[in-house]
Amino acid sequence: MSRILVIDDEPQIRRFLTICLGSQGYRVLEANDAREGLQQCALHEPDLVIMDLGLPDMDGQQLLARLREFYLGPVIVLSVRNGERDKVQALDTGANDYVEKPFGANELLARIRSVLRTFQSIDVPPTGYDDGVLQVDLLDRRVRMNAEDVHLSRKEFELLRALIAHPGRIVTQQQLLKDLWGPHHTHDTHYLRVFVGRLRSKLGDDPTAPRYIETEAGVGYRFISHLADQTNPEGA
């Protein structure tokens, strides 16, 4: 069951989409402004985001840019704005599709199916990482630095796996806490700081001049990939 987050300040639109998408087997999450949308996305990791551009607390283009700092899934913009400039800007900022209001339910459902199929076909998690210095085998759960084995605890390895899965992207503290400790620990940031510190120490990573794990203060962490095909996509 795919989870779809709807970010729209119009209650009637959210209600319609909840009924429409629910009838097709989707689980719908709702947010009535940008701030709530960012929180819902970070906490629940939806399979798809449908968002309006005309939100009361933040312009939709800005929200889209904020989402793309940590969210890797597909985004469909659903907006009354029909100008070419708005469409091009949204697509350049990271939207995967753009649907104008008013819209037909069947057309929207077809676009949702299409974008989900595309992402499901390409969203294959990496099986490892090797830049010649750090080698991580995610299948055998083996880590080596400069050809020497690095012994990680289960939590330390899962933390490294979570970061490697999103090279160059910010992974929020809440997302990491939820994935590693469960949904009831999303505010226990001290757990995360301790394990990030241990992981950095074992990888010989200096937090003041990080080679692999970069801190985005108050937000989360980013894995710095040194592979040619995994360059930092921030702002792409």
Side-chain angles (χ1 to χ4, degrees), residues 4-175:
I4 298 179
L5 171 61
V6 176
I7 309 174
D8 199 301
D9 64 328
E10 298 183 64
Q12 63 271 28
I13 293 291
R14 297 199 308 273
R15 188 179 309 114
F16 172 77
L17 289 176
T18 297
I19 295 172
C20 177
L21 298 176
S23 70
Q24 301 299 308
Y26 298 111
R27 178 186 172 193
V28 181
L29 307 169
E30 297 183 33
N32 60 18
D33 58 29
R35 181 177 179 180
E36 184 181 5
L38 288 168
Q39 292 175 341
Q40 291 269 37
C41 192
L43 288 173
H44 299 292
E45 302 175 61
D47 300 290
L48 169 69
V49 172
I50 298 175
M51 56 164 284
D52 189 14
L53 292 181
L55 297 168
D57 59 337
M58 185 186 299
D59 182 75
Q61 302 284 5
Q62 183 182 358
L63 168 61
L64 183 55
R66 290 279 301 277
L67 282 172
R68 282 309 184 205
E69 291 177 356
F70 66 91
Y71 178 64
L72 301 178
V75 176
I76 296 178
V77 169
L78 190 63
S79 177
V80 71
R81 301 181 190 176
N82 59 7
E84 181 181 359
R85 181 179 178 181
D86 287 310
K87 294 178 182 178
V88 170
Q89 183 179 354
L91 293 170
D92 281 344
T93 304
N96 300 95
D97 204 348
Y98 194 109
V99 180
E100 295 178 22
K101 295 179 181 178
F103 58 92
N106 288 333
E107 178 189 1
L108 179 61
L109 288 170
R111 289 174 183 260
I112 289 171
R113 290 193 296 269
S114 176
V115 76
L116 285 175
R117 278 197 305 270
T118 300
F119 265 71
Q120 288 165 358
S121 67
I122 65 174
D123 188 18
V124 179
T127 58
Y129 175 89
D130 187 347
D131 63 11
V133 177
L134 173 63
Q135 297 91 36
V136 182
D137 188 326
L138 297 176
L139 298 179
D140 290 340
R141 304 177 68 87
R142 188 178 185 184
V143 179
R144 292 169 65 83
M145 280 288 295
N146 297 311
E148 297 289 335
D149 285 333
V150 177
H151 299 286
L152 301 183
S153 70
R154 184 174 64 85
K155 288 291 187 188
E156 290 164 355
F157 184 85
E158 292 303 324
L159 173 59
L160 181 59
R161 179 202 294 273
L163 294 173
I164 286 177
H166 307 289
R169 297 277 187 178
I170 296 171
V171 186
T172 65
Q173 295 174 349
Q174 288 79 12
Q175 183 177 343

